[in-house]
Amino acid sequence: MLNLPQIVTKKEKKFLKMVATNVKNIRQQKGISQLETALSIAQSSNGFYANMENFTDNKRFNLLHLFKLSKLFECDICEFFKELEKS
């Protein structure tokens, strides 16, 4: 039996949550609803999109989602990967 390391670490979860938070913040700054955003990136379910944006039920954005979102929001894809400022 193989002794495989744990794939998802706390740092990875923190990173994925940061990306989701950045997407949400940018969407809100642009004044676009979750429904409009979900439909624009070919997600038929607003609920699934909301789960990705809120990192609920371990749902997350993939690279294609982020590419489409960068086009929709007219921003550089790198904006999704910026560290959040600490208050």
Side-chain angles (χ1 to χ4, degrees):
M1 185 170 203
L2 295 174
N3 224 356
L4 300 175
Q6 182 179 355
I7 301 300
V8 178
T9 66
K10 287 181 183 180
K11 286 183 181 181
E12 289 167 347
K13 286 186 178 183
K14 183 178 176 183
F15 170 76
L16 293 169
K17 185 167 178 63
M18 177 196 68
V19 170
T21 300
N22 286 338
V23 168
K24 182 176 185 174
N25 290 341
I26 293 168
R27 176 188 61 75
Q28 289 175 334
Q29 289 170 3
K30 298 289 183 175
I32 303 172
S33 72
Q34 283 185 333
L35 178 59
E36 291 171 304
T37 305
L39 295 174
S40 294
I41 65 167
Q43 287 293 312
S44 58
S45 169
N46 181 45
F48 187 82
Y49 176 82
N51 285 338
M52 289 190 298
E53 192 176 82
N54 295 309
F55 199 60
T56 306
D57 297 331
N58 210 26
K59 302 291 187 260
R60 60 191 79 156
F61 294 104
N62 65 34
L63 286 175
L64 188 53
H65 293 140
L66 296 176
F67 174 76
K68 290 177 180 180
L69 289 167
S70 72
K71 299 304 178 198
L72 175 65
F73 299 156
E74 297 176 333
C75 70
D76 191 308
I77 197 168
C78 295
E79 294 297 313
F80 302 133
F81 302 103
K82 289 188 174 181
E83 291 285 335
L84 298 171
E85 292 181 16
K86 301 204 178 184
S87 310

